[in-house]
């Protein structure tokens, strides 16, 4: 049976969906972004690897080339070749150990030097993250891009609050968090409207991936299927959602989201020749909806 790690691949696909969902607002393409991941643990590298795979898929470049615009910051600063090699760095950091400045010993210096447009906090070790997204960091991100993407996703203690990210960026940041948060009042760019940060959760991904696996009876789960899942989620973000600060669809649409994700995952399985439920259904979306459990119970007197 196909298996995947929801904590790693599910999170990576949800982050990818959030970035793709913001593109109509930020402009450009995924490949135009420079991404800086901050935190200790393998999750940051796993998210980075799916982002690189998506860039390679969309541009026709290699994953090796796509990795060049993605950087890691750990507790000792920017991960570069001057820091060491396979004998001193964890294996998961090595693909993102680029040639770079040796003096970026904290997050602020890395943000000032690399000028990223996407900043993602993703610490797995528990306790406070290595570096907070403070006013200087967020302000520098706002200097780097008209609408910087700021995702404080460390679950034990997020790098900053949505309110601070909005205020310190002048209401221009696109913010998504690891926790459900209410609308932040009076922080919108220009008119001071309320903004609603999205909640980055693998809930957007894993039900649809599992359902797509079931309806196609596929024998593999590949990166291309998680990329397709993220693209399906991003397509459901409306102009109104983005205008209100969101970069993912509202969770009350999760059944529609999951059916769309299932269709995308199953479609990739049929295209790749590793779906075994043959012949292919005329409508994968309808098949997905029919497979869903509906919690409706008969009333008894």
């Amino acid at each position: 049976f196909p298996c995947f790690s929801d904590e790693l691949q599910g999170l990576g696909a949800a982050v990818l969906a959030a970035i793709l969902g913001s593109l109509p607002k930020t402009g450009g393409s995924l490949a135009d972004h420079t991404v800086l991941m901050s935190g200790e643990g393998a999750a940051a590298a796993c998210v980075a690897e799916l982002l690189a795979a998506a860039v390679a898929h969309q541009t026709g470049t290699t994953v090796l080339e796509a990795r060049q615009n993605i950087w890691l910051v750990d507790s000792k600063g920017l991960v570069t070749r001057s820091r060491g090699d396979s004998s001193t760095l964890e294996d998961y950091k090595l693909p993102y150990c680029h040639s770079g400045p040796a003096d970026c010993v904290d997050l602020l210096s890395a943000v000032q030097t690399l000028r990223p447009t996407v900043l993602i906090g993703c610490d797995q070790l528990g306790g406070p993250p290595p570096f907070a997204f403070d006013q200087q960091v967020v302000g520098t991100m706002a200097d780097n891009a008209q609408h910087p993407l700021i995702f404080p996703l460390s679950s034990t203690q997020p790098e900053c609050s949505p309110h601070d990210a909005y205020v310190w960026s002048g209401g221009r940041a696109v913010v998504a968090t690891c926790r459900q948060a209410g609308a932040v009042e009076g922080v919108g760019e220009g008119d001071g409207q309320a903004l609603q940060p999205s909640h980055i959760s693998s809930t957007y991904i894993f039900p649809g991936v599992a359902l797509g696996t079931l309806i196609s009876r596929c024998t593999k789960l590949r990166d291309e299927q998680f990329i397709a899942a993220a693209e399906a989620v991003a397509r459901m973000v409306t102009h109104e959602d983005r205008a209100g600060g969101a970069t993912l669809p509202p969770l009350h649409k999760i059944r529609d989201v999951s059916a769309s994700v299932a269709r995308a995952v199953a479609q990739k399985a049929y295209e790749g020749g590793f779906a075994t439920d043959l012949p292919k259904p005329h409508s994968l979306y309808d098949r997905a909806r029919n497979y869903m459990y509906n919690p409706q119970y008969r009333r008894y007197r």
Side-chain angles (χ1 to χ4, degrees):
F1 296 97
C3 297
F4 72 98
S5 170
D6 181 51
E7 184 179 5
L8 298 178
Q9 292 162 290
L11 174 63
V15 171
L16 174 59
I19 296 175
L20 294 176
S22 72
L23 290 180
K25 183 171 185 176
T26 61
S29 66
L30 180 64
D32 294 327
H33 279 298
T34 298
V35 180
L36 183 60
M37 308 286 306
S38 175
E40 288 282 5
C46 187
V47 171
E49 193 68 359
L50 190 62
L51 297 181
V55 170
H57 174 74
Q58 293 179 0
T59 62
T61 59
T62 65
V63 172
L64 186 63
E65 293 172 307
R67 289 172 179 157
Q68 299 307 306
N69 276 348
I70 305 175
W71 298 76
L72 300 183
V73 168
D74 62 13
S75 59
K76 297 179 181 178
L78 187 64
V79 177
T80 62
R81 292 183 181 175
S82 62
R83 287 263 308 273
D85 52 24
S86 59
S87 63
T88 56
L89 291 172
E90 295 90 335
D91 289 347
Y92 58 81
K93 294 179 182 177
L94 296 178
Y96 299 94
C97 183
H98 306 312
S99 297
D103 56 347
C104 293
V105 296
D106 56 24
L107 180 60
L108 178 60
S109 59
V111 170
Q112 291 172 333
T113 301
L114 300 176
R115 298 184 60 81
T117 53
V118 181
L119 178 60
I120 303 172
C122 195
D123 187 72
Q124 279 191 310
L125 298 190
F131 299 105
F133 296 174
D134 59 22
Q135 186 170 359
Q136 281 187 292
V137 169
V138 174
T140 304
M141 287 293 299
D143 292 338
N144 296 343
Q146 178 65 24
H147 295 292
L149 272 60
I150 299 177
F151 298 168
L153 303 182
S154 296
S155 57
T156 304
Q157 182 176 321
E159 287 77 5
C160 70
S161 69
H163 177 273
D164 288 344
Y166 287 132
V167 170
W168 293 337
S169 65
R172 293 189 283 114
V174 178
V175 182
T177 69
C178 62
R179 302 173 181 174
Q180 287 187 318
V184 182
E185 301 289 339
V187 292
E189 181 183 7
D191 58 3
Q193 71 179 84
L195 294 176
Q196 175 64 61
S198 285
H199 174 208
I200 291 184
S201 168
S202 60
T203 302
Y204 285 103
I205 302 298
F206 77 83
V209 169
L211 186 57
T213 302
L214 284 173
I215 65 175
S216 65
R217 297 188 183 276
C218 62
T219 58
K220 303 173 184 177
L221 275 175
R222 294 177 170 170
D223 280 349
E224 64 194 57
Q225 290 168 284
F226 288 97
I227 295 169
E231 292 171 341
V233 174
R235 282 193 294 269
M236 297 195 69
V237 183
T238 67
H239 173 74
E240 291 73 21
D241 293 333
R242 280 184 286 269
T247 187
L248 291 168
L251 275 172
H252 68 76
K253 295 182 178 179
I254 193 62
R255 290 176 72 85
D256 291 334
V257 170
S258 295
S260 296
V261 168
R263 173 176 57 190
V265 169
Q267 179 64 33
K268 287 297 181 183
Y270 281 104
E271 290 175 359
F274 48 92
T276 61
D277 189 351
L278 302 173
K280 177 185 173 183
H282 175 70
S283 172
L284 290 170
Y285 184 86
D286 290 344
R287 173 65 67 89
R289 295 296 304 204
N290 290 337
Y291 265 60
M292 284 185 173
Y293 173 67
N294 292 297
Q296 296 176 351
Y297 302 97
R298 183 177 299 176
R299 277 184 96 101
Y300 292 95
R301 293 184 180 179

